[in-house]
Amino acid sequence: MRMMLVGAGAVGESMLKILKWRDPKGEWLSYVLVGDYDASRAQEVVDLLADERFSYAQINATDKEQMKDLIQDHKIDFVMDAAPPFASNYIFDAAYEAGANYANMGTWSVPMEEPAYGLGIENSYTEPMTKYNFDRHEQWKKKGQMAVICLGIDPGVVNVFAKYAATHLFDRMTEAHVKDGGNLSVPGADPDAIQFGFNVWTVLDEVMNPNVEYDQEKGGLIVEKAFAGQETFLMPDGVGENTLVKVEHEEVVTFARFLKQYGLKKATFKISLDDNLITALKVIDHLGLRSLKPVQVGNVKVVPRDVVAACAPQPKDIGTEMIGEMLVGVHCIGEKDGARKEYFLYQNFDNQASMARWGSQAVVAQTGFGAALAIELIGREIWKEAGVFSPEYFDPEPYLKLMDETGYEWHVMELPVKEK
C-alpha cells in the first residue's frame, strides 16, 4: 500500500508511529507521503520517524487539484484523512477522482443558523454528518474503490464493539450508547485552566453543534440543543463516575445504517466534559468566535474560529503532566435466549503509559491506535470492498484479533439489567 496522510497533527503522528511499529519491513505499507499545510510540521514528523519509506510535502487540504496531482505523482493508492473536518469533503473527492481508496476519522457537518430541533436531522443541518460520503456510495462502488469513514476510537473502535455485540452477545440488540470519559487530571494545575484534549476545530463542532440521537420509535434522528441529556455513568476499572452529555457524533448515524438489521432501535453518543471547558465553549459560542465568516480587525480580516484554534492549548503540547486514563466504550442492550441483557464493551488507555511508550497523550494515542489498526486491515486487504462504509459494516473479529495481538486492551463487562 502506498499511502498519503493528509494532516500531520498529533493524531496523524501517533498513527504513523504505530504503523511503522506494526510493519517495520514494509510488507504491506511500502510508502507514506506525509502532508500538512505547514510543511515544516510534516518534515518534523518524517524526521522523527527516520524511515526511508516516509517522505513529506506541503498539502493544502482544501485544494482538490493539488491533492489529485500528488496522489498521481506519488502513485498513491490509499489516502488517510487526518485533517480538520472542514477539509474532509475535498480530500474525499480528491481520492475518488484520482482513483485511490480513502479513510477518515470523522466527517464534516454544517448546522443551520437557526436549527429547528426535534425530529429530522435535515431540519437542523444543511449538511448532516456522513451524508456527503454515503450519498456517493454507488459512485465509489461502480469505480471499484473503497472509502471507510470514521476510524479512530470513537467513532472507530466503538463501532467494531457494537457490531461484535450485535453478532456475538445478543439474539437481538435494541440499543447502543457510546460513552466517552475518563479521569485525566493535572496535579497542581490552575483550577481555571482549559484543556482541549483533541483537535480544537473538532471539539468546537462536536460539542457546540446541535446534538443528535437515534430513536426509531419516535421516527428516527432527533436533534436537541448542545449539552442535552446529562447523566452520570460509573466507568469501570476504578475510573469512577463520569457526568456525560449528548453531542453530535457519527456513531448515531452509522449504527442506524448498519445495525438496524440486528434490531437496533436507539443510539446515543455522550461525552464527559470538564466544567471549565463547558464554560469556555459557551462563552466562545455566545461571542461568535465559532464563526467561519471573516471579520475586519483593523487592516486585516480574520476568521474567528482560526484565532481560537491558534490560541488554544494544542493537544500535541499537552500530556506529560497528566495522570489517569481515557475510557471509551459502548453500552449495548438487547435480548439473549429470551432474557434482557446489558453489556459495556470498552477500551481504556493510561496517559503515563501512553507518554512513555508512544510520546503522545492518551486521547491522541488512543485515537491513533484505533485508526492504525483499521489501516492495517485495509493495507493487508482484509477489509476489501467497493463503496462507502464505516467500521461496523465489516466482520469485527479481525479487528479485535489485532487489538489482542497489539496489547490494545478491550473488555466486555456485563451490567446489571435495568428495568425499561
Side-chain angles (χ1 to χ4, degrees):
M1 180 168 75
R2 293 179 65 85
M3 168 178 159
M4 181 169 84
L5 174 72
V6 184
V11 175
E13 176 186 322
S14 171
M15 196 186 306
L16 294 179
K17 289 176 182 175
I18 295 159
L19 290 173
K20 177 184 173 181
W21 168 62
R22 287 295 299 161
D23 188 24
K25 297 180 180 179
E27 294 176 352
W28 49 265
L29 184 66
S30 59
Y31 175 75
V32 180
L33 177 66
V34 181
D36 197 271
Y37 189 78
D38 179 358
S40 64
R41 170 58 187 166
Q43 181 179 9
E44 177 186 359
V45 171
V46 169
D47 290 346
L48 179 67
L49 292 165
D51 188 311
E52 62 182 11
R53 289 177 293 169
F54 295 80
S55 65
Y56 73 92
Q58 191 278 336
I59 294 181
N60 179 351
T62 63
D63 187 339
K64 184 176 70 172
E65 296 305 316
Q66 185 215 15
M67 289 185 285
K68 285 170 59 178
D69 288 343
L70 286 169
I71 291 168
Q72 293 164 349
D73 291 346
H74 290 261
K75 297 180 173 58
I76 300 297
D77 53 42
F78 172 71
V79 176
M80 182 63 206
D81 172 3
F86 69 84
S88 64
N89 292 350
Y90 297 100
I91 306 167
F92 179 78
D93 287 345
Y96 172 76
E97 294 178 20
N101 292 331
Y102 168 89
N104 67 26
M105 294 183 292
T107 64
W108 179 231
S109 61
V110 183
M112 296 178 180
E113 290 190 9
E114 296 184 8
Y117 301 112
L119 180 63
I121 192 172
E122 69 280 357
N123 298 321
S124 294
Y125 281 85
T126 58
E127 186 175 324
M129 53 186 168
T130 77
K131 186 177 188 302
Y132 189 89
N133 310 92
F134 286 136
D135 279 355
R136 288 155 179 77
H137 169 75
E138 291 300 326
Q139 296 174 26
W140 282 72
K141 183 177 180 180
K142 186 175 180 179
K143 282 187 67 178
Q145 292 170 241
M146 179 176 72
V148 185
I149 62 173
C150 303
L151 306 183
I153 177 66
D154 56 343
V157 175
V158 293
N159 302 62
V160 176
F161 288 166
K163 176 65 173 288
Y164 176 80
T167 55
H168 289 69
L169 301 181
F170 299 105
D171 297 324
R172 186 169 72 102
M173 186 175 78
T174 55
E175 301 183 35
H177 304 288
V178 180
K179 316 286 189 187
D180 183 322
N183 60 0
L184 293 175
S185 66
V186 179
D190 181 344
D192 297 323
I194 298 167
Q195 294 178 359
F196 286 79
F198 204 70
N199 178 280
V200 178
W201 269 78
T202 304
V203 172
L204 289 171
D205 283 333
E206 288 180 355
V207 178
M208 296 308 301
N209 280 356
N211 66 76
V212 184
E213 70 171 287
Y214 173 69
D215 192 322
Q216 185 189 65
E217 294 176 351
K218 293 181 179 179
L221 295 170
I222 298 169
V223 182
E224 293 183 280
K225 292 183 178 180
F227 308 113
Q230 182 172 310
E231 71 162 309
T232 57
F233 185 82
L234 183 61
M235 293 289 188
D237 293 354
V239 170
E241 194 171 84
N242 276 210
T243 299
L244 307 162
V245 295
K246 285 191 292 188
V247 300
E248 179 209 23
H249 233 248
E250 292 89 348
E251 293 94 322
V252 172
V253 176
T254 62
F255 285 180
R257 183 181 182 90
F258 292 113
L259 302 181
K260 193 181 297 184
Q261 63 179 306
Y262 302 102
L264 189 74
K265 293 184 176 182
K266 293 183 179 181
T268 60
F269 181 99
K270 295 187 179 182
I271 192 169
S272 175
L273 297 172
D274 174 77
D275 288 342
N276 289 351
L277 181 58
I278 290 176
T279 299
L281 292 173
K282 288 180 177 179
V283 171
I284 288 168
D285 187 51
H286 283 288
L287 290 177
L289 296 176
R290 289 181 65 216
S291 175
L292 300 178
K293 296 179 180 178
V295 297
Q296 193 74 35
V297 181
N299 296 323
V300 298
K301 282 189 175 182
V302 296
V303 175
R305 185 180 296 197
D306 285 345
V307 176
V308 174
C311 295
Q314 300 301 307
K316 69 182 181 65
D317 299 325
I318 303 172
T320 54
E321 68 275 24
M322 285 197 299
I323 61 172
E325 60 187 67
M326 284 296 300
L327 194 151
V328 180
V330 58
H331 178 192
C332 298
I333 302 171
E335 296 176 1
K336 181 69 176 178
D337 299 327
R340 179 180 167 94
K341 293 284 187 179
E342 299 190 26
Y343 294 94
F344 187 55
L345 295 82
Y346 65 95
Q347 202 288 321
N348 49 327
F349 218 86
D350 180 83
N351 191 70
Q352 290 180 307
S354 177
M355 291 300 303
R357 176 67 179 86
W358 299 108
S360 301
Q361 55 130 309
V363 181
V364 168
Q366 188 182 41
T367 304
F369 220 120
L373 296 190
I375 292 169
E376 177 171 343
L377 292 176
I378 294 169
R380 291 167 54 191
E381 298 189 343
I382 295 171
W383 283 6
K384 186 179 182 180
E385 189 58 89
V388 180
F389 309 95
S390 54
E392 63 271 55
Y393 170 82
F394 300 97
D395 177 0
E397 291 195 9
Y399 191 99
L400 296 174
K401 183 179 178 182
L402 278 188
M403 292 183 75
D404 290 335
E405 185 179 323
T406 59
Y408 191 43
E409 294 183 6
W410 64 287
H411 310 273
V412 178
M413 180 176 69
E414 186 168 1
L415 300 175
V417 174
K418 296 179 182 178
E419 294 299 322
K420 294 183 181 179

